[in-house]
Amino acid sequence: MLAIRLPQEIENRLKKLADVTGRSKTFYAREAILEHLDDLEDIYLAEHELEEVRAGRSVPVSLEEVMKQYDLES
């Protein structure tokens, strides 16, 4: 279960879309989350890892090293 507060303008747009299409607001909220969750994970996890590298808690590995480690050299 998830409850979210939306700005009134967004709530109005979502309601109008639901009314016009005969689908629920929940349907469209779910679709939006599913559509963008992968991108959000990529962005925030990459930002977190960058902070770890800058703080010296993580060491970057070059693409060349990864390819060699997994025997992916062409």
Side-chain angles (χ1 to χ4, degrees):
M1 181 62 147
L2 174 69
I4 57 173
R5 292 184 191 270
L6 298 171
Q8 191 61 51
E9 177 185 346
I10 300 300
E11 177 74 26
N12 293 343
R13 289 174 60 191
L14 193 55
K15 184 179 181 328
K16 182 177 180 180
L17 178 61
D19 289 346
V20 168
T21 62
R23 294 192 182 256
S24 68
K25 294 187 297 182
T26 300
F27 171 84
Y28 288 110
R30 183 177 183 276
E31 287 296 304
I33 291 169
L34 293 174
E35 178 71 26
H36 296 286
L37 187 56
D38 285 343
D39 293 338
L40 291 171
E41 287 173 332
D42 289 346
I43 291 167
Y44 289 106
L45 293 175
E47 288 175 351
H48 174 73
E49 188 58 29
L50 180 58
E51 290 174 15
E52 294 294 299
V53 169
R54 287 181 174 161
R57 294 185 294 263
S58 184
V59 179
V61 179
S62 71
L63 176 59
E64 182 179 287
E65 291 174 83
V66 171
M67 290 182 71
K68 187 174 184 177
Q69 179 180 351
Y70 292 99
D71 201 23
L72 299 172
E73 295 185 89
S74 52

